[in-house]
Amino acid sequence: CLWTLAAILKETLKDALVPRAGVLKKLLAPLDAVLEGFYNAILLHHFDSHHYTSPYSEATNNLISFIDLLEALLASRTELELPLRCQRILFLKVSYVLNLISSSVPYVIKKKFILLLKKCILYNSREDAKSGSLFLQTPSLCEDMLALSNAVLQVVNLTWLNQIPLGGKSSYFGSSEAAPGDDSQGGSDQTVLRALSLVVLKALEFKIYNSATEAEIK
């Protein structure tokens, strides 16, 4: 079901001949509450269970299908003037994703979610946007970006980054120490390193541009 819905969304976004906004609203509006329920139920799951130890397990494949759906929902957001809750949920409840990334799920899941976070933080951004002025035109996007930035900065201020592996086994964000039982000397995953760094920097940028006082900025 997850795969089918994601496939329909992707094909709708590719089709230039259909009124995409109308089609998407007709498709997603009845599922709005259901998809938020899915998000809560799936991402609040205990991912330290044995079902997620293998990157090839059914549970892991289901989670990857859900990530693909979240990515399609993010891409479809631009088509609606007022985004639906299911298109905003990734921003408003990003703490679920942050907790999952630091859990013991397979590395492939962590990487896909980190790259999805990067897409969120870069969503609709422009290099020439000054002082966050782009987001003043879209209040819901401004609200969502601030929620995302606040959540990211809160966990980064703790020890979250130190728990993020930068490869399947070899190195971690805070050090080059090998994982237990791993004798290999593989390099760190530069794609994940760049994505994480960009997420933190952009979150800091949004927070500073939208802070009311100098004390808050500091």
Side-chain angles (χ1 to χ4, degrees):
C1 289
L2 294 172
W3 183 91
T4 302
L5 185 55
I8 292 170
L9 283 171
K10 290 174 184 176
E11 289 303 314
T12 302
L13 293 173
K14 288 179 187 175
D15 195 341
L17 300 176
V18 299
R20 288 186 294 230
V23 172
L24 289 170
K25 196 165 185 178
K26 189 175 181 180
L27 173 67
L28 294 175
L31 295 173
D32 207 19
V34 175
L35 290 173
E36 183 173 359
F38 269 21
Y39 185 92
N40 295 339
I42 291 174
L43 298 190
L44 275 179
H45 191 71
H46 294 293
F47 290 102
D48 296 326
S49 73
H50 66 280
H51 296 295
Y52 294 91
T53 52
S54 168
Y56 308 107
S57 69
E58 183 181 359
T60 300
N61 285 333
N62 289 340
L63 197 51
I64 288 174
S65 293
F66 190 60
I67 296 171
D68 291 341
L69 176 58
L70 290 175
E71 192 171 344
L73 288 169
L74 177 66
S76 71
R77 177 174 173 149
T78 55
E79 302 297 331
L80 299 182
E81 189 174 343
L82 292 174
L84 297 167
R85 177 80 178 177
C86 64
Q87 294 170 309
R88 302 180 63 193
I89 194 70
L90 191 55
F91 295 84
L92 300 177
K93 294 187 177 180
V94 71
S95 58
Y96 295 10
V97 170
L98 298 173
N99 290 337
L100 187 148
I101 290 171
S102 61
S103 75
S104 60
V105 293
Y107 181 72
V108 63
I109 298 289
K110 296 175 187 277
K111 183 170 182 175
K112 284 182 76 71
F113 265 121
I114 288 169
L115 295 178
L116 182 57
L117 273 183
K118 187 185 85 167
K119 288 186 177 182
C120 288
I121 206 78
L122 293 177
Y123 180 80
N124 211 27
S125 65
R126 300 287 184 273
E127 290 184 7
D128 58 351
K130 296 179 181 178
S131 302
S133 58
L134 172 70
F135 302 103
L136 298 178
Q137 302 166 14
T138 52
S140 64
L141 184 57
C142 181
E143 180 186 340
D144 293 355
M145 284 295 187
L146 281 174
L148 176 66
S149 299
N150 284 332
V152 167
L153 293 175
Q154 282 173 10
V155 295
V156 167
N157 203 34
L158 302 173
T159 58
W160 184 77
L161 281 178
N162 295 331
Q163 301 171 51
I164 311 302
L166 288 180
K169 291 183 178 179
S170 54
S171 59
Y172 282 72
F173 196 97
S175 69
S176 58
E177 182 181 350
D182 179 39
D183 297 322
S184 65
Q185 296 295 319
S188 58
D189 188 331
Q190 296 300 305
T191 302
V192 170
L193 178 59
R194 286 193 298 269
L196 277 172
S197 301
L198 189 59
V199 166
V200 175
L201 287 171
K202 294 298 287 185
L204 197 57
E205 180 187 30
F206 288 128
K207 181 66 176 172
I208 288 173
Y209 280 150
N210 291 278
S211 294
T213 65
E214 188 176 345
E216 192 178 12
I217 292 174
K218 288 181 179 180

